[in-house]
Amino acid sequence: MEWRPLSLLLWLGLCISGLQAQEYDAVESREEGETLSVQCPYNQQQYREAVKVWYQLRGGTYYQLASTQYTPLGGYQKEASLERTTIQDDNSKGTVTITIKRLQLQDAGVYMCGCFGHNRTVHILKTIQLKVSRREYISYQLNGTSSFSAST
């Protein structure tokens, strides 16, 4: 899967509505190297078989980072991974979980999970702001000859 831009209003007939600037369901703070896991509950009856998506907002454009999908044979792929990002749909519980491993400073930003509804619209499940801070290290020196670093 590749990163694909999604404009704020339209992408191949796909409309996103209901997302207003600076409005987040959660603000998550992590240090670089840590893992972010986000759970997005959805209405099982309405979206059980819908494709679930994970976007990042950069420069006014949403980029698709991961999505579940239907296979060419018509089966539903409930889990997909791309680089450090995994999306997993547990449609028996009505929850899609997104995990980003080994966070980097440049991962900070606004993210949205959603699912495709009727007429190719995206139903927004959750919008989060992720803050990633630099991991602090302390240097120790033993007997004046050797040293090592440890994270705090």
Side-chain angles (χ1 to χ4, degrees):
M1 181 179 303
E2 61 189 61
W3 292 45
R4 293 177 272 183
L6 172 70
S7 72
L8 289 175
L9 298 177
L10 186 63
W11 174 69
L12 297 176
L14 169 71
C15 295
I16 294 181
S17 61
L19 182 63
Q20 298 176 1
Q22 305 301 315
E23 202 172 292
Y24 312 116
D25 296 306
V27 176
E28 300 285 342
S29 297
R30 300 287 187 282
E31 287 186 344
E32 59 184 338
E34 292 183 338
T35 296
L36 172 72
S37 184
V38 177
Q39 292 190 334
C40 303
Y42 61 87
N43 180 315
Q44 283 180 280
Q45 292 177 344
Q46 193 170 4
Y47 297 109
R48 179 183 181 95
E49 299 297 322
V51 170
K52 313 310 184 296
V53 290
W54 179 244
Y55 294 106
Q56 181 184 25
L57 177 64
R58 286 185 278 133
T61 301
Y62 279 96
Y63 289 86
Q64 182 177 314
L65 302 181
S67 72
T68 60
Q69 58 189 347
Y70 282 92
T71 65
L73 299 176
Y76 180 60
Q77 182 180 347
K78 294 181 182 183
E79 184 173 337
S81 295
L82 178 64
E83 297 175 4
R84 298 175 295 117
T85 304
T86 301
I87 187 168
Q88 185 174 20
D89 183 11
D90 183 346
N91 55 15
S92 68
K93 294 182 179 177
T95 302
V96 60
T97 302
I98 297 92
T99 304
I100 305 175
K101 297 178 181 178
R102 300 180 309 279
L103 286 169
Q104 301 169 1
L105 294 175
Q106 60 265 31
D107 291 326
V110 177
Y111 293 84
M112 175 193 75
C113 57
C115 55
F116 284 98
H118 302 295
N119 302 322
R120 304 268 311 149
T121 58
V122 173
H123 174 76
I124 298 168
L125 301 173
K126 186 180 283 189
T127 303
I128 69 156
Q129 180 181 29
L130 172 62
K131 297 178 180 183
V132 181
S133 60
R134 187 172 306 278
R135 182 171 286 223
E136 295 183 27
Y137 292 90
I138 299 174
S139 181
Y140 296 93
Q141 193 164 14
L142 303 175
N143 299 330
T145 58
S146 60
S147 65
F148 69 94
S149 296
S151 63
T152 58

